[in-house]
Amino acid sequence: MSRQKFIAGNWKMFTNAASAEQLAAAVVKGVAKVDRVAVAVCPPFPYLERVAQVVKGAAVALGAQNLYPEKEGAFTGEVSPTMLVDVGCKHVIVGHSERRHKLAESNAFINKKVHAALAAGLHVILCVGETLAEREANATDRLLDEQTTQGLAEITAEMLARVVLAYEPVWAIGTGRNATPEQAQQAHAFLRRRVGELCGAAAAEKLQIQYGGSVKPDNAASLLHQPDVDGALVGGASLKADDFLAIVRAGIG
Ligand code: PGA
């Protein structure tokens, strides 16, 4: 089946008020000429609202990089899914490896975030991926299985329609070392089979699985041409509008 490609920019803890607006405006301008690929940008929390104004009415959706899995409450410093909806977010990234590894987020906590986000009406980009040590120990499949099974616990086929999976090998994130198209395809096919067992084959067939990890204009096409690679979650290259737009265009071809 043909799934629409989905390219999302994860700006991480970069940009400032002015550069976030400029970057969003440049993406909006470039994407106006592209309609066969879904596009989203995920700025830091403080700039969500101003970027929301820039992308309003354009074919660029707004996403957040994280949330706390409660509607409201005494959770100093945290941001709720309803707040994200309130400022115009459609998507939220959950389970990014930087949060798993630097902030010790567990699969159980990530699963709570998935449920809270979906309950608030958001679409979820759930990140999974192995470390280099895990890959070298031939533990990639086991790890992906664990993160997917636990991250998607109690997720029905119907709920899965608002979930995107992002396969991001940790050793490829921000390192300039990307998975080969074959490695990506192998992991994506494995993930789709596993999700099929969890949520049913029909839902898994429709699931978009993005690849993430040093996606650049020069490697995007070969990754995006793989049959189970349905898009990209782009970090570093999403901070340069020209590079990000070149990756979006690679998603059309
Ligand atoms: P990168 O980041 O493109 O800079 O490797 C990807 C990500 O962390 O989502």
Side-chain angles (χ1 to χ4, degrees), residues 200-211:
E205 236 350 80
K206 289 188 207 133
L207 174 74
Q208 288 167 314
I209 308 179
Q210 296 176 319
Y211 169 79

Side-chain angles (χ1 to χ4, degrees), residues 42-74:
C42 306
F45 286 140
Y47 310 132
L48 282 172
E49 222 173 345
R50 57 175 71 221
V51 171
Q53 296 309 313
V54 178
V55 301
K56 205 174 190 168
V60 177
L62 186 67
Q65 298 173 20
N66 183 36
L67 55 70
Y68 191 81
E70 294 287 341
K71 267 194 203 137
E72 60 179 12

Side-chain angles (χ1 to χ4, degrees), residues 115-129:
H115 281 276
L118 293 175
L122 289 161
H123 291 237
V124 171
I125 300 175
L126 171 64
C127 304
V128 296

Side-chain angles (χ1 to χ4, degrees), residues 152-231:
L152 293 178
E154 310 293 323
I155 295 297
T156 62
E158 197 191 347
M159 290 156 96
L160 193 72
R162 276 189 291 126
V163 175
V164 170
L165 220 50
Y167 169 59
E168 298 206 299
V170 179
W171 46 273
I173 296 176
T175 58
R177 181 179 164 191
N178 62 287
T180 63
E182 295 72 29
Q183 284 172 323
Q185 169 57 27
Q186 205 180 8
H188 284 226
F190 174 84
L191 289 168
R192 196 177 303 286
R193 271 198 308 280
R194 191 64 197 107
V195 174
E197 287 157 12
L198 294 168
C199 302
E205 236 350 80
K206 289 188 207 133
L207 174 74
Q208 288 167 314
I209 308 179
Q210 296 176 319
Y211 169 79
S214 299
V215 178
K216 308 284 177 213
D218 61 352
N219 61 27
S222 59
L223 288 159
L224 290 166
H225 284 160
Q226 296 300 313
D228 286 290
V229 178
D230 309 312

Side-chain angles (χ1 to χ4, degrees), residues 125-145:
I125 300 175
L126 171 64
C127 304
V128 296
E130 81 287 359
T131 61
L132 187 57
E134 286 156 348
R135 174 162 283 266
E136 285 174 345
N138 285 324
T140 301
D141 288 359
R142 182 183 55 73
L143 201 279
L144 293 181
D145 185 16

